[in-house]
């Protein structure tokens, strides 16, 4: 069963944004970043796109 996120539609905090930028620059994958931030992959992907970040595509 998929993980349930209780933070539905919660605004991004400055600390989360900093962590997102740091993890994306380190080359972490989308799934890993989402788990570290306790947010959905879709949420992380949308925010990264809005901030002009590229997320590594791990296979």
């Amino acid at each position: 069963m998929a993980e349930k996120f209780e933070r539905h539609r919660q605004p991004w905090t400055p600390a989360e944004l900093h962590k997102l930028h740091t993890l994306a620059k380190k080359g972490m994958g989308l799934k890993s970043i989402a788990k570290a931030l306790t947010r959905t992959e879709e949420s992380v992907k949308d925010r990264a796109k809005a901030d002009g970040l590229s997320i590594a595509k791990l296979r």
Side-chain angles (χ1 to χ4, degrees), residues 10-51:
Q10 293 295 313
W12 286 77
T13 65
E16 287 177 318
L17 291 173
H18 180 71
K19 193 169 184 178
L20 170 63
H21 285 249
T22 302
L23 296 176
K25 286 177 185 169
K26 285 185 178 179
M28 287 183 70
L30 179 62
K31 192 175 272 190
S32 301
I33 294 173
K35 191 168 187 170
L37 294 172
T38 62
R39 290 200 175 252
T40 63
E41 292 179 33
E42 195 67 29
S43 174
V44 171
K45 186 168 55 172
D46 290 345
R47 186 61 203 215
K49 187 175 181 181
D51 287 358

